Amino acid sequence: MTKRILPAVIFISLYSYVAMAQANGNCEQNIGFSMLPNHQLMTCEEKEFDAFTFFTTDKGGNRTELVKEGALTKVSYKWLGEWEKRPSGLQIYRNY
């Protein structure tokens, strides 16, 4: 189930267009993967301890709410290229 959750979290983070903010230089170095071409770092927020809530659906169609706690890094990117040529969720996941 974790393998299905991680791409969704990454995809949501990468395509969340939030208000422009200064990126923390340390955060940029600790993201864990290289930025894909035609992307711009929009926001980066690090917290020593926080909670993140998300939902999953199992093979039977049952929806479950999951809450994970611990160190949290939120990163948002802006896609600068042609919308039709943006990377797929799989490409983003494989880059990670």
Side-chain angles (χ1 to χ4, degrees):
M1 178 168 29
T2 303
K3 290 182 181 178
R4 287 184 277 163
I5 296 169
L6 185 57
V9 171
I10 293 171
F11 186 80
I12 291 167
S13 295
L14 292 175
Y15 288 101
S16 295
Y17 292 97
V18 294
M20 180 70 81
Q22 285 188 332
N24 177 335
N26 293 333
C27 181
E28 189 174 359
Q29 295 169 0
N30 296 324
I31 291 172
F33 57 94
S34 58
M35 186 169 23
L36 291 170
N38 294 320
H39 284 81
Q40 176 184 7
L41 182 64
M42 295 289 293
T43 64
C44 186
E45 179 183 0
E46 291 182 296
K47 293 186 178 182
E48 287 185 32
F49 190 83
D50 203 351
F52 184 79
T53 304
F54 54 97
F55 297 90
T56 64
T57 305
D58 64 17
K59 291 181 181 180
N62 301 311
R63 188 174 180 203
T64 305
E65 178 181 312
L66 296 174
V67 179
K68 296 293 181 179
E69 295 179 343
L72 179 66
T73 302
K74 292 182 183 179
V75 182
S76 297
Y77 293 92
K78 179 178 181 181
W79 169 248
L80 302 174
E82 296 176 42
W83 186 249
E84 297 78 24
K85 295 181 180 180
R86 69 192 184 280
S88 67
L90 178 60
Q91 184 179 355
I92 293 168
Y93 176 72
R94 293 265 169 92
N95 184 57
Y96 177 76

